[in-house]
Each structure stands twice: as structure tokens, then as C-alpha cells.
Amino acid sequence: MSNQIAEANWKFHWRLTESAGIMIYLADYRGRRVLWEGSLPYVTVDHQRETLEVEGDPGDAHGPWWVPLGARTLQGPVRVQAFRGGVELSAVFASGPYNYTQLWRFHDDGRLCPWLTIYGPGIHDQHTYHPHWRFDFDLDGARHDAIERFEDGRWQRVDHEGWFPYSGEADEHGNVWRQVELGSGAVLAIRPHSWDDAELFAIRYHDGEWAPYSPRSAAGAQTFPAAYVGDEPLDGDDVTLWYVAHVHFSQSFPYTAGPSIKVSGLGLAG
Amino acid sequence: MASSKKPVKVARALKAKPKPPPVRPRAPARKAPEQELSQTDPALFDPLTPGEVADALRTLTEDRRLAAMAKVGRYRVICTEPLVVKPPHWMAGHRLVRAVAFDSAADRTVDACVDLDAGVVAHLELTGAQPMLSRDEEALAVSIAMVDDRVRDQLALGDTPQSTLHYWGRSPDDLAFARRSAAVVFGRSDGHASIVAVVDLLENIVTQVVPAEQW
């Protein structure tokens, strides 16, 4: 199977990584570059104790854990399927009581949906999933990026690197964050799922700050991507975005987490 | 006679007429970074061949900065994957390998970018980060847990290792806080988990055995 797909106005490539699921790279929409690469570096799982006693609550007694989403946990082949108005890739990963279906959906109207369906019982009910997506969008080039968030009823520029949780406020389309290409004015709008309890990290690109092979940085230090966050200005530079969802397990599982992303304003013909 | 030399001089002068500057092959005009970016060769992202992996690891272990690691030989290669950098970086267009290893002797991670075209380690970070476990380490964790008496005592009929999780402790009191650790989940094939065994991969011992429902 070729790893290049040209369908539904998109042309992109994919490959299975060692630990970050299916990676999409060099994705163009109607002939214009949108994404350098995007992947799902990891999904951590936290456990909580079920107690109503505040004083006796031990908190999180144990740390988080995770399994690499890659060849070692892949179940069956990576599937490429057309659907009405688009094309999607899907891959199933399993490790004991944890099961995931990773999806990349490309719509002909410019929407891109990197999603993760989470299922499986876990080792008990009180646990929370934290899928981490990393995107290196290159709208019409790597530089000239700006990040904005919808706050106080309008889009506001994010000047410096940081962590930007979803506060419940969104524009009329449900978009909370967006990446703007300062030269062309093209926009990549990011709409979180209402129940993702999502947050976005915006980080200036640096060599070496590639997708990590573990959430762990040094013992006792912040995990990634927080460990990459400093106080550098973002305006006009190359920015990487991390979308993190926090999904508590419930009887209603399976649950599909992940953002809907739409590219617009590329000045496309037709 | 002197005049007879003049023509010679003239002739020499003519011969010595400054040559036109050598015609150097013109370097192709540098494209705008945006144009270079859109023309990146997708083949740079292709999976590594076995030979490319071998080449990268040979280059890595010959690097002087990693001489101690290579000499002691207590390291594991965690993964090797293609890496592609964007223009206008000088390595753009080169076949690059990201190689990550864990050096147990120094308790540190080696995160390197090897430039196969130049045959050098182009980027090297030595950190206290913990990369994911290699497949060998996952298998080792299971084998250590399987022979631990406390684990064997708590296993029910039909319990087998279901999953090896990459684990770290939250509290400094926990051995897994700073040390390389795995959590092996045992259970039945229907997905019901019974116990969790935490394995310290530096000492190769089980440090905790916890009923799954109490994890």
C-alpha cells in the first residue's frame, strides 16, 4: 500500500511510528502546504481512588503509565477508507485492558480530524486518559505564524509560549484556538470536543524539541510538552502546537477524543 | 637587439593578457524557504533500512562524546527513526536518523540526530529524561515478575501477563520516581485485571505487588 494519498482535495503521506501512532506528514490542501507533520506521541493513563472521605483520601497513590502506540501494539493493518466527502486512515492499538483506535479524517471542505477512540475496561473504573497530539502546521511556509485564542468575546493574540486551557468560551463555530499565517492571512481553526476538557500548548519550534519518546523528562520535573514551555515570543516564528485531552472513564465508553481542525483563507482557486 | 625583444615582450604581454575569470559552475539560485519547504522530498520520511540503522548506530557509538557509553556497553537502543528538518536549516534535505538510547551505567538518555549524508552526529543531548522502554525491557519486566514469589502467590488460575506499561512514580518515596520501571498487569484473557507488579529495571527486582482494584 502506498503511503501517499491524494483524495478529497488533500495530498498527504503517512507512516507508522515506533510510539506515536500513525504520523501524517507533508499534507497539502488544494496544493497548498498545511501540515509538516502531526502525530500522537502518547496517551498517559492516571488512576484515582474512589472515596468520599476528604481527610482519608490518599490522592493519586501511583503515578501515570502509558504504552507506545506503534508496531508493538498495532492490531491488524492500517486502513485507508473513503467516506462521503473525504478519506480516513484508521489503526487499532491494544495492550491488555487498554484499546485505542487512532483516526485521521480528511474532509474535502478543508477539515482535518485527528481523533482517538478509547475503549477497553482499564484495570478499574477510576481512571483518566490523557491523549497528547503534536502538530507542526506550516501554513504557506514554516515562519510567519501567530497563535490566537478566543477570549472575552474576541480573538486575542498569544504573544508568548504557554499553556492555554479551554475556558468554555468559543467563537460561533466552536473554535477556541487558531493559527494564523501572517503573510497570507490563512487560518487554521481548532475546535475541541466539548467533553475533552482540552488544553493547548503553543511552543516555538527548536531543534531537539522533537516529539519525545516518553512523557517523562527528568525525575520530579514537568512532563512533556510542559517541559518545553518557556517564555519565548511566538509572533512571526515557527510554532508547534500540542492538543491534550483529559477523558475520565465512564460506562458510556467508547469515547472519541480529539479536535476538529479547519483550514481556510489560503486564497484557493475554486 | 633590444628592439627585437620588444615584440617578444609584446608577444608575452599579449600572451599574458589577463584571462577571463574562470567560469565557475553557478550554484543554483537559492529558493525561498517557503518554496523549498513545499518541495521537500517525501522519501526523507521513509522508514529506515536495516543498513541505515546500522550506519547510524556505528556513527553514534564512534562519537567521542559517547566513548564511555560505548566502552562500558550497558546501554540499550530504544529506537531509531527517520528525522526530517525544515529549510533553511543546513541539514534540510539530508537523510537523518534520530537515535535514542538509554545508558544504564550513567542513568541517562542519549537523544541524537545522526546525519547519514555527512557521517556525523549532528545533534546530541544527554539528559535525565526517561525514554520509553524497549521491547527487550518490556519482555525482561515480564520475566522478572513471573518468577517473583509475591506475584506467584497472588496469581489466580488462568492469570497471565496482559500488558507491560511504562510507569513512573509520583512520589519521591517511590523507587519508580527516578528509576527506570515497568508495571506488569496480570489478568484473565477476558480483560479482567488481577494484580499489578512494579518492576525496577535497574536492579531487576519487583518493588510492589498491588491488587488491580486497589491501584
Side-chain angles (χ1 to χ4, degrees), chain A residues 1-226:
Chain A
M1 180 164 47
S2 167
N3 74 336
Q4 178 185 309
I5 295 169
E7 215 167 311
N9 298 326
W10 288 88
K11 187 175 101 175
F12 58 92
H13 302 75
W14 67 272
R15 74 174 173 86
L16 182 68
T17 64
E18 275 288 313
S19 61
I22 305 169
M23 184 177 94
I24 299 294
Y25 57 92
L26 303 184
D28 298 346
Y29 178 64
R30 291 189 173 177
R32 303 282 286 275
R33 177 59 43 81
V34 171
L35 179 71
W36 174 260
E37 66 174 45
S39 63
L40 178 62
Y42 40 82
V43 184
T44 52
V45 184
D46 263 333
H47 294 82
Q48 301 84 37
R49 295 272 181 86
E50 193 167 18
T51 176
L52 295 175
E53 297 173 20
V54 176
E55 287 187 4
D57 184 357
D60 298 339
H62 299 103
W65 62 33
W66 69 292
V67 290
L69 304 186
R72 71 179 87 173
T73 48
L74 181 68
Q75 309 292 306
V78 175
R79 290 191 169 85
V80 181
Q81 289 175 289
F83 62 89
R84 187 182 167 92
V87 62
E88 70 181 30
L89 273 78
S90 62
V92 175
F93 301 94
S95 179
Y98 302 103
N99 294 270
Y100 307 101
T101 299
Q102 188 190 7
L103 297 159
W104 282 95
R105 311 190 82 222
F106 297 83
H107 295 256
D108 58 12
D109 62 359
R111 274 180 296 152
L112 163 63
C113 299
W115 289 350
L116 183 73
T117 301
I118 304 167
Y119 51 105
I123 61 166
H124 60 65
D125 284 358
Q126 299 303 315
H127 64 284
T128 306
Y129 296 88
H130 309 276
H132 289 62
W133 284 268
R134 178 183 183 273
F135 304 106
D136 188 350
F137 291 114
D138 283 342
L139 278 173
D140 278 342
R143 293 183 180 273
H144 315 299
D145 292 342
I147 305 299
E148 297 180 339
R149 68 186 302 201
F150 197 80
E151 200 174 23
D152 300 330
R154 63 188 178 91
W155 286 103
Q156 302 203 31
R157 185 66 53 86
V158 170
D159 294 328
H160 289 79
E161 293 180 323
W163 164 70
F164 308 102
Y166 172 42
S167 63
E169 201 175 356
D171 75 2
E172 67 273 25
H173 303 294
N175 300 315
V176 175
W177 310 278
R178 65 185 191 182
Q179 180 168 327
V180 179
E181 213 286 325
L182 294 173
S184 67
V187 172
L188 237 154
I190 303 172
R191 179 166 67 85
H193 188 293
S194 306
W195 301 106
D196 271 4
D197 190 16
E199 56 197 24
L200 190 85
F201 291 82
I203 301 163
R204 186 167 166 177
Y205 175 85
H206 285 290
D207 289 331
E209 292 188 357
W210 302 304
Y213 284 110
S214 163
R216 293 184 75 178
S217 59
Q222 296 262 39
T223 53
F224 297 114

Side-chain angles (χ1 to χ4, degrees), chain A residues 72 95 124 211 213-214 238, chain B residues 81 86 98 130 138 163 215:
Chain A
R72 71 179 87 173
S95 179
H124 60 65
Y213 284 110
S214 163
D238 189 8
Chain B
E81 288 201 298
K86 300 176 192 177
R98 186 162 173 212
Q130 290 278 351
E138 287 186 358
S163 179
W215 182 262

Side-chain angles (χ1 to χ4, degrees), chain B residues 102-153:
Chain B
F102 185 73
D103 180 1
S104 301
D107 194 15
R108 68 181 181 181
T109 293
V110 174
D111 194 339
C113 168
V114 179
D115 184 339
L116 293 182
D117 294 348
V120 296
V121 176
H123 182 96
L124 179 66
E125 285 189 20
L126 305 171
T127 71
Q130 290 278 351
M132 65 179 174
L133 304 178
S134 66
R135 295 185 196 206
D136 289 346
E137 287 174 305
E138 287 186 358
L140 177 64
V142 170
S143 63
I144 292 167
M146 290 284 284
V147 298
D148 185 87
D149 288 340
R150 291 166 299 164
V151 172
R152 294 168 74 98
D153 288 347

Side-chain angles (χ1 to χ4, degrees), chain A residues 222-267:
Chain A
Q222 296 262 39
T223 53
F224 297 114
Y228 285 153
V229 174
D231 191 34
E232 292 193 74
L234 297 177
D235 255 13
D237 223 295
D238 189 8
V239 178
T240 54
L241 300 178
W242 287 71
Y243 177 97
V244 184
H246 305 284
V247 182
H248 191 68
F249 176 78
S250 75
Q251 297 299 320
S252 62
F253 266 40
Y255 176 87
T256 298
S260 293
I261 299 166
K262 181 158 186 179
V263 59
S264 61
L266 281 169

Side-chain angles (χ1 to χ4, degrees), chain B residues 12-96:
Chain B
R12 278 187 179 172
L14 283 172
K15 276 189 177 176
K17 183 179 173 184
K19 291 179 183 174
V23 180
R24 292 181 184 169
R26 287 183 70 179
R30 184 87 181 172
K31 296 170 185 165
E34 287 75 13
Q35 193 182 352
E36 288 184 349
L37 196 68
S38 65
Q39 293 175 358
T40 299
D41 182 3
L44 293 171
F45 289 84
D46 282 352
L48 302 169
T49 66
E52 287 176 322
V53 173
D55 190 1
L57 296 180
R58 284 167 60 98
T59 303
L60 186 71
T61 51
E62 283 182 341
D63 190 284
R64 281 186 186 176
R65 294 167 289 182
L66 297 172
M69 179 189 87
K71 187 174 182 183
V72 174
R74 286 194 59 214
Y75 66 92
R76 281 180 197 274
V77 176
I78 305 300
C79 64
T80 48
E81 288 201 298
L83 178 72
V84 188
V85 299
K86 300 176 192 177
H89 195 289
W90 67 271
M91 286 194 298
H94 292 209
R95 183 63 161 161
L96 307 176

